[in-house]
């Protein structure tokens, strides 16, 4: 028997070294070039290091790396080059010192709470944040002695009134899902800092193209990379962006020991997602604005909720805080006399669509359409839904990248059956 052939030595003896990027590059350029991690083969697309562990050259080196005395990869729960590339690139786009990638948006919020809170601490949180965030902070963390007050998204006086000496964290998400209420990040940051607390902002709905909370004083930014950062509905991913000291000394040890690790494959998908994020977000927002304007003029539509419309209660604030963009999520109420009629009419519009996908996900190239009262907010009581302003006639659209005329025709089909 002959021995198996060795892999031909086509990799150069000296690995490819990229020149350092010049200072002052634009965000679009940073999104494509930051933290490009090439293998010795010099590929031009980001390498995917899909491995659970890393071979050590010898026992001495292994000992130093495991003791943290020498840089070097050991195990992908601890660190991985593809995950590091995503973290550095996201931090560059958010304008953060550092970022840490984790398995999902909820894993990022779990890590945030584990890192900042202990028994006896108090949190002030918007009442309108993502449903799982309410359950995680309000219910799960109450088991560990953390108390949370949920307050109005838009009334900053309520945030100030809720402060206690034990308040450690203010948590906001803007705009909200599905009614697109916008909170004033600068005002909340001032309230937090006056009380010696930190402000964390969930930026999943905007991405750093539309909103950069650090520019308005936020201390930490949370992402569900599952939404616009992936942008094509393929993987779950999450991240926290913030000061390097907090990321390395507080959050990294938690991610390493608790194992909410971002898979290298998913990191590679969202890393490539960041490259096209700017173009995609601008196209999402342009489509959404055109649709919101059109919806507003439809006789079967009672009300449109979209920060890009002058009729939105926080329109001026939204434009200032969101780079002049309204975002890509729209909600609208159809007309109807009774809750039953409202629901029937909403279902008619949703079921008449062929281009839109009927799903509660968002941040996809495909436009998604959903009925919040029976899906994302279906577990609330009727009173809670009323208090939240989520009626049976409400429809949420997360506007995708199809041609605007085709999305419009898709909605027109059902709306014309109502008029
Ligand atoms: C989807 C979402 C989350 C949760 O993210 P996952 O990646 O699904 O865990 C958190 N916040 C907001 C605003 C979201 O839209």
């Amino acid at each position: 028997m002959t021995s198996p052939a060795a892999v031909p030595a086509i990799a150069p003896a000296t690995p490819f070294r990229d020149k350092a990027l010049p200072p002052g590059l634009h965000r679009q350029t940073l999104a494509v070039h930051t933290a490009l991690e090439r293998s010795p083969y010099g590929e031009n697309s980001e390498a995917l290091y899909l491995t659970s562990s890393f071979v050590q050259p010898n026992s001495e080196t292994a000992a130093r790396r495991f003791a943290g005395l020498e840089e070097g990869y050991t195990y992908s729960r601890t660190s991985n080059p593809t995950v590091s590339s995503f973290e550095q690139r996201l931090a560059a786009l958010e304008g953060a010192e550092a970022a840490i990638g984790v398995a999902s948006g909820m894993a990022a919020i779990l890590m945030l709470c584990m890192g900042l809170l202990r028994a006896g601490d108090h949190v002030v949180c918007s009442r309108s944040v993502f449903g799982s965030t309410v359950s995680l902070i309000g219910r799960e963390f109450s088991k560990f002695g953390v108390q949370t007050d949920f307050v109005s998204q838009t009334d900053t006086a309520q945030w100030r009134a809720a402060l206690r000496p034990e308040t450690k964290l203010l948590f906001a998400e803007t705009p909200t899902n599905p009614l697109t209420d916008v909170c004033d990040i600068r005002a909340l940051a001032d309230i937090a800092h006056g009380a010696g607390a930190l402000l964390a902002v969930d930026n999943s709905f905007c991405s750093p193209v539309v909103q950069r909370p650090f520019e308005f004083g936020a201390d930490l930014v949370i992402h569900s990379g599952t939404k616009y950062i992936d942008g094509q509905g393929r993987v779950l991913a999450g991240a926290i962006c913030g000061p390097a000291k907090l990321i390395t000394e507080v959050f990294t040890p938690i991610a390493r020991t608790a194992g909410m690790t971002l898979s290298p494959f998913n990191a590679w998908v969202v890393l490539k997602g960041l490259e096209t994020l700017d173009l995609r977000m601008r196209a999402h927002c342009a489509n959404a604005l055109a649709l919101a304007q059109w919806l507003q003029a439809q006789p079967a539509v009672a009300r449109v909720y979209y920060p890009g419309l002058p009729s939105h209660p926080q329109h001026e604030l939204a434009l200032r805080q969101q780079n002049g963009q309204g975002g890509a999520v729209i909600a609208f109420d159809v007309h109807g006399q009774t809750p039953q009629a409202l629901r029937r009419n909403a279902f008619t519009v949703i079921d008449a669509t062929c281009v839109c996908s009927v799903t509660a996900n968002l941040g996809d190239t495909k436009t998604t359409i959903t009925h919040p009262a029976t899906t994302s907010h279906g577990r609330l009581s009727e009173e809670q839904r009323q208090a939240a302003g989520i009626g049976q006639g409400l429809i949420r659209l997360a506007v995708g990248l199809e041609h605007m005329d085709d999305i419009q025709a898709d909605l027109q089909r059902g709306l014309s059956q109502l008029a």
Side-chain angles (χ1 to χ4, degrees):
M1 285 233 316
T2 54
S3 56
V7 176
I10 50 173
T14 326
F16 191 93
R17 281 271 155 249
D18 276 292
K19 294 178 200 159
L21 293 176
L25 294 175
H26 296 82
R27 281 175 200 274
Q28 290 85 346
T29 312
L30 294 175
V32 177
H33 288 279
T34 302
L36 178 59
E37 173 74 43
R38 296 191 214 263
S39 83
Y41 294 100
E43 66 286 324
N44 196 32
S45 176
E46 283 65 10
L48 166 52
Y49 294 96
L50 193 60
T51 180
S52 50
S53 78
F54 297 82
V55 177
Q56 306 301 310
N58 53 54
S59 312
E60 273 301 328
T61 310
R64 283 198 302 276
R65 287 181 182 170
F66 275 84
L69 300 173
E70 180 185 310
E71 296 265 308
Y73 294 103
T74 55
Y75 188 55
S76 283
R77 172 151 51 71
T78 312
S79 54
N80 174 284
T82 309
V83 176
S84 304
S85 292
F86 166 66
E87 293 167 341
Q88 290 173 53
R89 198 170 281 187
L90 178 63
L93 297 187
E94 273 292 0
E97 277 179 16
I100 176 166
V102 282
S104 68
M106 290 319 302
I109 299 172
L110 172 63
M111 182 168 66
L112 177 87
C113 294
M114 286 178 71
L116 299 182
L117 304 172
R118 57 202 64 205
D121 285 348
H122 175 246
V123 179
V124 186
C125 183
S126 164
R127 188 178 292 133
S128 316
V129 295
F130 191 65
S132 300
T133 307
V134 174
S135 308
L136 179 65
I137 299 182
R139 191 177 64 219
E140 303 304 333
F141 271 81
S142 72
K143 291 185 206 159
F144 307 115
V146 172
Q147 292 192 8
T148 302
D149 276 315
F150 291 96
V151 296
S152 154
Q153 170 80 357
T154 51
D155 181 0
T156 44
Q158 285 193 24
W159 292 72
R160 197 174 289 109
L163 294 174
R164 300 182 198 168
E166 311 80 54
T167 306
K168 290 285 158 42
L169 176 68
L170 273 63
F171 189 97
E173 174 190 318
T174 180
T176 58
N177 179 27
L179 294 175
T180 74
D181 290 328
V182 174
C183 67
D184 186 335
I185 299 173
R186 170 68 67 192
L188 297 186
D190 290 345
I191 292 170
H193 299 156
L198 298 179
L199 172 66
V201 176
D202 183 333
N203 201 26
S204 308
F205 261 57
C206 283
S207 90
V209 172
V210 170
Q211 176 170 275
R212 285 189 291 280
F214 292 118
E215 294 176 358
F216 302 97
D219 301 289
L220 292 155
V221 168
I222 305 297
H223 274 291
S224 166
T226 315
K227 310 296 162 52
Y228 293 100
I229 291 178
D230 171 5
Q232 295 172 61
R234 297 165 295 190
V235 299
L236 296 184
I240 298 183
C241 307
K245 196 171 157 62
L246 272 181
I247 298 290
T248 55
E249 293 176 16
V250 176
F251 298 124
T252 302
I254 295 173
R256 287 177 173 180
T257 52
M260 59 259 280
T261 314
L262 178 57
S263 126
F265 179 78
N266 290 3
W268 182 80
V269 171
V270 285
L271 175 65
K272 299 301 284 179
L274 287 176
E275 294 183 356
T276 55
L277 183 63
D278 190 272
L279 282 175
R280 286 188 287 105
M281 277 322 285
R282 286 173 200 282
H284 278 291
C285 292
N287 262 355
L289 177 60
L291 265 177
Q293 286 165 338
W294 174 79
L295 279 168
Q296 214 175 20
Q298 300 312 301
V301 172
R303 181 167 173 192
V304 181
Y305 307 80
Y306 182 65
L309 291 178
S311 58
H312 189 281
Q314 298 97 34
H315 176 63
E316 301 292 326
L317 169 65
L319 291 191
R320 206 165 55 239
Q321 196 165 270
Q322 297 177 192
N323 248 326
Q325 309 272 8
V329 176
I330 302 174
F332 63 97
D333 281 312
V334 292
H335 279 298
Q337 296 303 319
T338 62
Q340 292 75 16
L342 286 166
R343 182 190 289 201
R344 198 169 53 242
N345 287 346
F347 279 16
T348 298
V349 173
I350 293 170
D351 292 337
T353 61
C354 309
V355 173
C356 299
S357 309
V358 183
T359 165
N361 193 29
L362 65 107
D364 200 320
T365 49
K366 299 176 177 70
T367 296
T368 65
I369 189 165
T370 184
H371 184 245
T374 52
T375 58
S376 55
H377 297 71
R379 266 179 290 171
L380 300 184
S381 68
E382 192 54 41
E383 298 77 67
Q384 286 172 316
R385 261 198 305 275
Q386 299 255 317
I390 294 164
Q392 293 292 339
L394 187 73
I395 295 173
R396 192 206 70 189
L397 272 181
V399 182
L401 299 181
E402 302 93 340
H403 195 286
M404 146 69 191
D405 293 350
D406 296 332
I407 312 172
Q408 184 178 312
D410 215 36
L411 296 170
Q412 171 75 63
R413 207 171 303 118
L415 287 172
S416 60
Q417 291 177 39
L418 310 187

